[in-house]
Amino acid sequence: MPSIYPFGTYGFGLSIDIIGIMMGISGIILGFGYAFDDKKLKEFGRSELYQSMINVALVVFLLSLFMPGGIVTGVISTLVGKSPATFSCPEYMSGNSAICLAYSYLAGPGGYTFNGIAYQSLFSIIMEVFLAVTALIVILGGISSLSLSFLFAKINFAPMVTPFLHEMQYMLDIVTSMAISVLVQASILSFVAIAAVAVILPTGIVLRAFYPSRKLGGFLIASAIGLYVVLPLSYLFNIYMLYSYTSGLNETSMQATVASASSAENLLLNATNASSSVVHLVSSTNSLLSSISYLLDSLFSFVANFIVKTFILPIFSLILTGISIRELAAMLGSEAFFGKFKIL
């Protein structure tokens, strides 16, 4: 039977046990302070007793926030429910609908529906483009290696095809980077769904019960809340901004270009020395180069569009999450260190 507690029965019990032990130790220290009339022991014992009481209240508060049907679950479900979206995700993400939607948006195999329109996940679209561009590179590589002889003339296709081939390979590198970026983001969301509330949060509560690790515990609690709540909701905000924005890539024209390239390659391989073949060859080559030029325009539009989706907006989400962690950590008496990003 699953636990009713967001961080599991074991994590909850351990947190309460540690806090109870620290409360007893604080009381003993306070008693020694009064027994020996030591001001420092009195102040330290009283301070630790107050912190133990705060930790008890914190555990109760976090339980009310994150338990099934709690405040956080209700707020997130309400926010996601207001967006006319349908989506699916792995079962371990089902407790947080914002994470579920963000995962479907990034790498869900079934995609998602938003505002009545069905969308593929970013990863699915990127992989389709990756396969199409890879096919074109293979075809163009084959064409560039061909040469034909007509009487005293020799036609070499490498000078015509090589510039396009270099551009295609450059685009393929960018598309590969975008695919990796999307998978990394999806993996982070999977980690957050599994570990934020079940592992990081109880660890933070336990560490906050001890005086030497109190700031670290506060930071872990803030991190768990920021990752579990703010990060997925920032993706929901991104989807709201992008749902009406369509890609500049025309997949039909890309498929037609691949077919045109295959046809031209077959013509090159089967061409004879007849003058009529030369006419057909020149015509097909011009058609191919025109199609590739159109394809490159589409690819540039696609790359510009998806750089925003796969790099710019995720950075915005990370900044929002980092700021929220920093502010929550400060409220818990801790400090979030972000090095050069401390200016945020």
Side-chain angles (χ1 to χ4, degrees), residues 112-127:
Y112 64 101
T113 301
F114 195 86
N115 200 32
I117 302 174
Y119 293 94
Q120 290 179 284
S121 65
L122 297 186
F123 183 73
S124 297
I125 297 174
I126 291 171
M127 287 310 298

Side-chain angles (χ1 to χ4, degrees), residues 10-258:
Y10 179 76
F12 173 77
L14 180 62
S15 302
I16 294 298
D17 290 343
I18 294 295
I19 293 172
I21 291 171
M22 292 306 299
M23 188 175 292
I25 293 175
S26 301
I28 293 173
I29 293 174
L30 184 62
F32 276 117
Y34 278 103
F36 295 101
D37 196 21
D38 190 310
K39 184 179 180 181
K40 290 184 178 180
L41 283 178
K42 289 180 183 178
E43 291 179 353
F44 181 76
R46 189 180 294 112
S47 174
E48 288 303 300
L49 189 59
Y50 290 156
Q51 287 295 335
S52 296
M53 294 178 180
I54 291 173
N55 287 334
V56 171
L58 187 61
V59 169
V60 174
F61 177 66
L62 291 175
L63 280 173
S64 67
L65 284 180
F66 292 102
M67 68 186 304
I71 297 173
V72 168
T73 304
V75 170
I76 291 177
S77 298
T78 300
L79 291 174
V80 175
K82 287 182 178 180
S83 62
T86 57
F87 45 87
S88 60
C89 61
E91 185 178 355
Y92 61 85
M93 293 183 178
S94 59
N96 188 324
S97 55
I99 291 181
C100 190
L101 174 58
Y103 184 85
S104 298
Y105 160 73
L106 289 171
Y112 64 101
T113 301
F114 195 86
N115 200 32
I117 302 174
Y119 293 94
Q120 290 179 284
S121 65
L122 297 186
F123 183 73
S124 297
I125 297 174
I126 291 171
M127 287 310 298
E128 288 185 4
V129 175
F130 176 86
L131 294 175
V133 174
T134 301
L136 275 170
I137 289 176
V138 172
I139 293 171
L140 291 177
I143 294 174
S144 67
S145 65
L146 296 176
S147 62
L148 294 176
S149 297
F150 298 94
L151 298 177
F152 300 102
K154 186 176 182 179
I155 300 178
N156 188 356
F157 295 94
M160 287 187 298
V161 175
T162 300
F164 292 103
L165 189 59
H166 287 166
E167 290 297 325
M168 291 287 187
Q169 290 172 336
Y170 178 68
M171 289 294 177
L172 187 64
D173 291 339
I174 297 178
V175 171
T176 302
S177 299
M178 291 191 294
I180 293 173
S181 172
V182 168
L183 287 180
V184 168
Q185 294 172 58
S187 298
I188 290 174
L189 287 174
S190 296
F191 170 79
V192 169
I194 294 172
V197 175
V199 178
I200 299 176
L201 190 61
T203 302
I205 295 173
V206 170
L207 290 177
R208 198 181 185 282
F210 299 101
Y211 175 77
S213 59
R214 182 157 297 141
K215 289 187 176 182
L216 177 59
F219 171 73
L220 289 179
I221 294 172
S223 298
I225 297 173
L227 291 172
Y228 193 77
V229 179
V230 179
L231 181 62
L233 286 179
S234 69
Y235 277 95
L236 176 62
F237 180 66
N238 294 344
I239 295 171
Y240 263 113
M241 291 191 295
L242 293 172
Y243 82 92
S244 61
Y245 188 67
T246 57
S247 172
L249 177 66
N250 188 328
E251 295 180 9
T252 303
S253 67
M254 174 173 286
Q255 294 169 359
T257 305
V258 174

